[in-house]
Amino acid sequence: IPIEVTTDNVDTVAEQHYPLCMLHLHNYLRRNHHLKYDCKMQLGIFLKWVGMPYEDMLVFWKEEFTQVMTEEKYEKEYVYLFKHQYGKVGSKLQYKPYTCERIQSFTPAVNQEHGCPFKHWDQSSLSAKLEEELGGDYEQLQDIEDLVREKHYVGACNKYLCYKNPAASSSEPIASPNEYVQKSMLSDL
Ligand code: SF4
């Protein structure tokens, strides 16, 4: 990853370089100051692999969660998972980054936010989000939505990346959110 992702720049990096699956979780967390377990896993392991330093990661989650709970509750019930994701406590497991295939295999319930928007969102929510991110270029939106209809979800995400950041068009297709960020950032250099 060419740019270090820190608590200072994470909002800008998310807006410019996160794929929709992670941008959605990031924005949801900023708005609600809370995420359910599967979402914390999807976003937390991603943060580790985009290279957010351990100390920044601790600040990032704490600043959000302590807006809706006491610091004591957070330290007692929540921080362990984030330390565990970074391999610092417990079994010191080194989690691998989630692939798109894995994220798309999840079955998020209606009130859950994890998963892949190209696969799991209803058509009108996805269209609205694509329009918000890409502007109202009808042909671009159609191209992406055609791929979604054909169930080529990773293809749709690759197309979205190329429209959002045209310099990424020449690179190999992505197969994970972490690859997405890397390609999006590299194409900016
Ligand atoms: Fe995320 Fe992969 Fe879905 Fe893109 S295709 S939104 S990177 S899970």
Side-chain angles (χ1 to χ4, degrees):
I1 299 281
I3 302 166
E4 187 173 54
V5 184
T6 65
T7 46
D8 289 338
N9 70 7
V10 66
D11 290 317
T12 310
V13 171
E15 189 47 55
Q16 292 177 354
H17 298 296
Y18 277 17
L20 282 185
C21 53
M22 299 303 175
L23 178 62
H24 177 62
L25 293 180
H26 179 86
N27 288 339
Y28 188 94
L29 177 67
R30 288 294 198 218
R31 274 196 310 275
N32 300 287
H33 320 298
H34 200 278
L35 283 174
K36 293 194 169 161
Y37 177 80
D38 292 316
C39 305
K40 288 189 293 228
M41 290 300 287
Q42 184 171 311
L43 183 61
I45 292 168
F46 168 79
L47 286 177
K48 177 184 174 185
W49 287 99
V50 293
M52 180 180 273
Y54 181 65
E55 296 305 328
D56 284 61
M57 175 279 287
L58 291 176
V59 172
F60 173 75
W61 289 110
K62 186 174 181 178
E63 278 183 354
E64 290 301 332
F65 277 62
T66 53
Q67 292 183 51
V68 290
M69 66 182 68
T70 62
E71 197 171 325
E72 190 186 9
K73 184 175 169 72
Y74 173 76
E75 296 292 344
K76 203 164 151 206
E77 295 176 27
Y78 289 84
V79 73
Y80 185 90
L81 178 68
F82 305 128
K83 291 182 177 175
H84 186 65
Q85 289 171 344
Y86 270 59
K88 300 287 189 190
V89 290
S91 56
K92 305 209 167 148
L93 198 66
Q94 293 299 325
Y95 286 100
K96 293 202 172 101
Y98 285 9
T99 61
C100 296
E101 197 181 349
R102 175 148 190 223
I103 292 171
Q104 287 168 9
S105 75
F106 297 149
T107 49
V110 177
N111 62 351
Q112 291 180 309
E113 308 299 327
H114 64 292
C116 170
F118 293 100
K119 174 158 186 201
H120 295 122
W121 287 14
D122 63 56
Q123 200 206 333
S124 64
S125 305
L126 179 63
S127 297
K129 185 64 184 164
L130 291 172
E131 201 170 330
E132 183 191 326
E133 293 297 323
L134 297 174
D137 185 321
Y138 180 74
E139 274 186 31
Q140 290 187 353
L141 301 181
Q142 277 301 111
D143 275 355
I144 296 171
E145 286 172 12
D146 284 350
L147 287 163
V148 171
R149 257 189 301 278
E150 292 159 15
K151 301 193 192 318
H152 295 315
Y153 306 116
V154 178
C157 185
N158 274 284
K159 181 109 347 195
Y160 168 82
L161 168 59
C162 296
Y163 285 143
K164 185 143 187 200
N165 194 340
S169 314
S170 55
S171 55
E172 291 292 304
I174 62 104
S176 74
N178 292 84
E179 284 180 16
Y180 180 108
V181 173
Q182 192 148 21
K183 291 199 171 156
S184 183
M185 280 186 179
L186 278 172
S187 63
D188 254 12
L189 296 178

